[in-house]
Amino acid sequence: MMEFFPEIPKIQFEGKESTNPLAFKFYDPNEVIDGKPLKDHLKFSVAFWHTFVNEGRDPFGDPTAERPWNRFSDPMDKAFARVDALFEFCEKLNIEYFCFHDRDIAPEGKTLRETNKILDKVVERIKERMKDSNVKLLWGTANLFSHPRYMHGAATTCSADVFAYAAAQVKKALEITKELGGEGYVFWGGREGYETLLNTDLGLELENLARFLRMAVEYAKKIGFTGQFLIEPKPKEPTKHQYDFDVATAYAFLKNHGLDEYFKFNIEANHATLAGHTFQHELRMARILGKLGSIDANQGDLLLGWDTDQFPTNIYDTTLAMYEVIKAGGFTKGGLNFDAKVRRASYKVEDLFIGHIAGMDTFALGFKIAYKLAKDGVFDKFIEEKYRSFKEGIGKEIVEGKTDFEKLEEYIIDKEDIELPSGKQEYLESLLNSYIVKTIAELR
Ligand code: XUL
Ligand code: CO
């Protein structure tokens, strides 16, 4: 088997003092925490599109990246080379999962029939490589946004032919995701939205989106695909407004159409901040709805209004994210997929490894801090005390639905003083800092 990254060794855990850029400082995959190795708590995944397809093109410039598969000019040779490179990459980094769009892994033919045949050949190659490897599919998806036919959207297009094309594409993507043993299937509504309401039938588009999702649910049942369906919310980009704006909006949409039982959410950090929320907010919303499925692990730049998809290196964010995951009971059919790309100027092959190492180390550290916070019940205890008034007396009656406006008026009307607890935000923020410092001090 050809080696694509001969200059990169297998990445080892060297501990916090290490200055080796090609070593883990905080992430020891086999370290057991709470009876489970860290790698199974975190379930890292590589995003095929960013790491094996994207080559640094931006709206102002050409590709910059040096990539070993570019020595192949034939599109099929290149597709197979990318697959082989993926397996070598994952094995060297000790990453056990990957995610892909149908169009990332194989080129398109002239008709959908031809495209599907080409896709099958690459899927065969992936299956072959999976046989002697630990690498598995976290989730699959269909690219319903790059081809010009999707200029008006896919499930929300104005063209019935394009709707049919998108349906057939998702049908095939579900089949190959099942064939590869995918744990989930993602719907990210890339162009499911609008640029202006002046030319948009909002009602029809939303109804069609629901029809499309229902057909997907029905087809999955028919073929026995038992992976988790995931909606990945994003408020905008490439469209001005995307229908799956955030968790709350997408959940209301699913409920409204009786689809909520079939879906969970795939929360992406940069999408949360584009929606004007924190990463933690979106995770918390999904968690309290019992719908936290998976994570697209990246970070945005809060000074920029677009999806920069950077590798996550912010310890506060990964701590609070992993706190939500732990409180949700951990990942089942989900994980931490690095939907992240190296910067255009980080064009060397080794930067792909360094980016993933940085993300893995930051999430491992975040997990360790969050685990302590959860175990010590730091925030739980505080929150419990803050809402104590709903545990007894009139508060208990409110919660149990045993009261009404008249009774509440009678209860309060002659009361002179109401005693309130302090929110103590500054105390909790400094406590969070103490946990970060304490955890780092205890690292090997
Ligand atoms: C785009 C994005 C997608 C989805 C999968 O912002 O996040 O790559 O993760 O389609
Ligand atoms: Co994503």
Side-chain angles (χ1 to χ4, degrees), residues 49 101 139 141 145 186 188 232 234 268 271 296 307 339:
W49 54 101
H101 301 83
W139 49 258
T141 190
F145 43 89
V186 161
W188 169 61
E232 184 180 321
K234 185 177 182 181
E268 177 164 327
H271 296 180
D296 267 9
D307 198 11
D339 193 350

Side-chain angles (χ1 to χ4, degrees), residues 168-232:
Q169 207 181 313
V170 171
K171 174 180 176 287
K172 179 70 180 172
L174 283 168
E175 290 163 9
I176 62 173
T177 299
K178 176 175 186 270
E179 198 169 339
L180 294 172
E183 291 188 11
Y185 185 89
V186 161
F187 292 87
W188 169 61
R191 292 188 196 272
E192 314 294 22
Y194 61 79
E195 294 299 324
T196 171
L197 287 172
L198 298 179
N199 64 14
T200 302
D201 185 339
L202 189 70
L204 178 67
E205 292 203 359
L206 288 170
E207 290 302 321
N208 278 351
L209 180 56
R211 289 182 186 108
F212 192 92
L213 294 178
R214 182 163 301 284
M215 287 187 230
V217 166
E218 279 161 10
Y219 190 66
K221 270 192 203 156
K222 188 165 182 184
I223 63 171
F225 173 65
T226 53
Q228 177 63 54
F229 271 5
L230 298 154
I231 299 279
E232 184 180 321

Side-chain angles (χ1 to χ4, degrees), residues 17 77 154 206 267 331 369 389 392 395 414 436:
E17 304 298 341
D77 290 344
L206 288 170
I267 306 295
F331 291 122
I369 301 162
S389 77
E392 60 207 4
D414 297 316
I436 293 175

Side-chain angles (χ1 to χ4, degrees), residues 34-311:
D34 203 18
K36 210 158 86 170
L38 206 41
K39 72 181 177 64
D40 296 343
H41 284 289
L42 299 169
K43 294 182 67 184
F44 290 126
S45 157
V46 173
F48 199 94
W49 54 101
H50 282 311
T51 293
F52 299 97
V53 183
N54 180 309
E55 293 179 353
R57 186 188 296 281
D58 76 9
F60 302 94
D62 295 338
T64 53
E66 287 177 2
R67 296 294 180 255
W69 42 88
N70 283 342
R71 71 182 85 135
F72 298 96
S73 49
D74 176 75
M76 281 316 277
D77 290 344
K78 201 184 238 191
F80 290 138
R82 283 175 165 142
V83 167
D84 291 347
L86 163 80
F87 280 82
E88 184 186 331
F89 188 79
C90 287
E91 278 150 19
K92 287 192 163 159
L93 274 164
N94 223 317
I95 293 183
E96 291 188 352
Y97 292 91
F98 72 103
C99 296
F100 72 95
H101 301 83
D102 49 2
R103 301 296 172 255
D104 301 338
I105 59 171
E108 285 199 61
K110 281 195 208 72
T111 60
L112 186 58
R113 189 184 300 280
E114 214 178 287
T115 301
N116 286 350
K117 273 198 190 132
I118 299 170
L119 192 54
D120 283 337
K121 288 190 189 139
V122 183
V123 169
E124 254 334 286
R125 177 74 150 235
I126 297 176
K127 265 173 84 177
E128 206 46 48
R129 296 301 319 264
M130 278 176 159
K131 277 188 198 148
D132 49 18
S133 153
N134 288 331
V135 177
K136 300 171 276 288
L137 179 61
L138 188 65
W139 49 258
T141 190
N143 179 330
L144 305 178
F145 43 89
S146 293
H147 193 282
R149 79 175 69 87
Y150 294 122
M151 66 171 77
H152 297 297
T156 62
T157 175
C158 52
S159 156
D161 278 5
V162 172
F163 186 99
Y165 203 108
Q169 207 181 313
V170 171
K171 174 180 176 287
K172 179 70 180 172
L174 283 168
E175 290 163 9
I176 62 173
T177 299
K178 176 175 186 270
E179 198 169 339
L180 294 172
E183 291 188 11
Y185 185 89
V186 161
F187 292 87
W188 169 61
R191 292 188 196 272
E192 314 294 22
Y194 61 79
E195 294 299 324
T196 171
L197 287 172
L198 298 179
N199 64 14
T200 302
D201 185 339
L202 189 70
L204 178 67
E205 292 203 359
L206 288 170
E207 290 302 321
N208 278 351
L209 180 56
R211 289 182 186 108
F212 192 92
L213 294 178
R214 182 163 301 284
M215 287 187 230
V217 166
E218 279 161 10
Y219 190 66
K221 270 192 203 156
K222 188 165 182 184
I223 63 171
F225 173 65
T226 53
Q228 177 63 54
F229 271 5
L230 298 154
I231 299 279
E232 184 180 321
K234 185 177 182 181
K236 56 186 164 192
E237 197 208 21
T239 57
K240 170 195 167 64
H241 177 92
Q242 189 180 302
Y243 294 133
D244 303 326
F245 194 93
D246 57 6
V247 171
T249 311
Y251 184 69
F253 172 83
L254 292 171
K255 267 268 188 218
N256 195 17
H257 292 92
L259 288 163
D260 50 304
E261 67 177 289
Y262 307 109
F263 290 85
K264 286 188 174 176
F265 290 101
N266 181 38
I267 306 295
E268 177 164 327
N270 206 161
H271 296 180
T273 52
L274 282 179
H277 303 307
T278 59
F279 187 17
Q280 191 190 14
H281 166 93
E282 285 292 83
L283 292 165
R284 176 72 63 92
M285 279 303 289
R287 164 159 85 84
I288 61 160
L289 295 168
K291 295 285 180 195
L292 177 42
S294 200
I295 288 181
D296 267 9
N298 64 16
Q299 71 187 26
D301 185 322
L302 296 182
L303 300 181
L304 300 176
W306 63 90
D307 198 11
T308 59
D309 283 346
Q310 290 162 238
F311 276 92

